[in-house]
Amino acid sequence: MAVEQKDSWNGGELLFAGGTDWAMLGRGGGGKSKANPKDELERQEKYPNLIEPHRLKSLLDVKVAFIAAGSSAAHCIVGDVNGVCYTWGRNEHGQLGHGDLLQRNTPTAVAGLQGQHVVAACGGKHHTVVVTREGQSFGFGLNSQGQLGIGSIKKTKATPEDRQLSPVKALVDNAARVSCGADFTAWLTKTGQVFTSGNPQYGQLGGGTDHMYNAKDTSIKIVYEPQPTPRAVEALLGVTVKQVVCGHSHSLALAEGGAAYTWGNGNYG
């Protein structure tokens, strides 16, 4: 999750460390690599693990206002002081917002957000959601669970997965912050309300239900009905929330006065 900085913030410089082989990050190897040792060495030289912070050439002259990713993301988001949004990393479902499925190894401005002043963003496993200074929200990437909050999920036989390769407007107004789980999203409004959309399987949307039902008449096929339209978390109505964050399949809200509220998957406590 990333948030808008105070007016006195004049921007900073991005430093990056860690893995750069986006196609392999987060992938389970299951043992030794099957690649030719020479090819593997060449790949490691091309995509090194940066054990110390490095400046990125493409952002050397950019005053960075915020950086963002997500607990399940294998891509990065950066916003500069002029509201320009940059993304890079894995892009197999269009989560970078550039209108294609091509991986980007360097930060690239999202052309579909031109004219918008982006102040906050977060990434899910295969989707990205941003918030603008005016309180609007836009999402891109996989929408199979309604995680973009656009009110619908479009599936056909030709395109069984709903992918939004360019930014589309979410049905949330007056947004201030956003956080993404693996396949769901939580927005915090400027008035302190929390809205959620996406996969409800573990109760991570905070609606008091996992939307589970049996999709078969003569057998058992458990389905968790997605929620593509953002809804207010009713348990928090009347509570002024100051911050909301999402893990892979759980959520946490920090209220005014210091009280913390959690919901979702509690398998690990």
Side-chain angles (χ1 to χ4, degrees):
M1 183 186 71
V3 300
E4 184 178 6
Q5 303 292 334
K6 295 181 179 180
D7 293 339
S8 60
W9 175 249
N10 295 316
E13 185 176 25
L14 179 78
L15 297 177
F16 184 91
T20 64
D21 192 349
W22 297 102
M24 299 302 293
L25 288 177
R27 306 289 194 192
K32 295 182 179 180
S33 172
K34 296 180 181 180
N36 181 287
K38 181 180 179 181
D39 293 341
E40 185 68 19
L41 181 60
E42 291 179 352
R43 188 179 186 92
Q44 291 176 4
E45 290 177 349
K46 186 177 182 180
Y47 304 111
N49 291 324
L50 305 179
I51 61 175
E52 296 179 348
H54 284 64
R55 294 177 175 85
L56 298 184
K57 185 177 181 180
S58 57
L59 293 177
L60 284 180
D61 298 322
V62 174
K63 290 292 185 181
V64 174
F66 73 81
I67 57 176
S71 61
S72 304
H75 63 289
C76 298
I77 310 115
V78 161
D80 70 15
V81 294
N82 297 313
V84 178
C85 180
Y86 303 80
T87 61
W88 73 103
R90 199 178 295 166
N91 191 39
E92 65 266 57
H93 292 284
Q95 58 262 47
L96 299 186
H98 299 303
D100 56 43
L101 302 176
L102 301 177
Q103 178 177 300
R104 300 298 196 286
N105 295 321
T106 57
T108 305
V110 180
L113 291 172
Q114 186 175 0
Q116 304 292 340
H117 192 112
V118 177
V119 296
C122 196
K125 186 175 183 179
H126 298 303
H127 76 290
T128 301
V129 181
V130 306
V131 169
T132 71
R133 182 171 55 188
E134 291 73 26
Q136 293 184 319
S137 181
F138 297 85
F140 33 94
L142 190 63
N143 189 48
S144 60
Q145 296 291 327
Q147 56 262 57
L148 299 186
I150 59 177
S152 63
I153 301 171
K154 298 178 181 179
K155 295 182 180 181
T156 66
K157 290 183 178 180
T159 56
E161 291 186 313
D162 185 0
R163 291 170 172 167
Q164 300 294 329
L165 305 185
S166 298
V168 289
K169 190 176 183 303
L171 301 181
V172 176
D173 294 317
N174 206 29
R177 307 178 184 217
V178 66
S179 186
C180 298
D183 48 13
F184 72 102
T185 303
W187 292 264
L188 178 64
T189 70
K190 295 178 181 180
T191 57
Q193 277 191 293
V194 177
F195 287 78
T196 58
S197 77
N199 183 3
Q201 181 175 356
Y202 299 101
Q204 61 264 50
L205 301 187
T209 176
D210 57 12
H211 298 194
M212 183 180 74
Y213 68 95
N214 184 15
K216 294 288 187 179
D217 293 329
T218 59
S219 61
I220 297 177
K221 182 182 179 181
I222 299 301
V223 175
Y224 300 90
E225 184 177 3
Q227 181 181 303
T229 301
R231 298 176 185 168
V233 178
E234 292 188 7
L236 294 176
L237 293 179
V239 177
T240 302
V241 177
K242 306 300 291 184
Q243 187 172 355
V244 62
V245 293
C246 300
H248 188 277
S249 54
H250 70 288
S251 306
L252 185 147
L254 181 64
E256 191 173 54
Y261 299 80
T262 62
W263 60 95
N265 190 349
N267 284 351
Y268 299 96

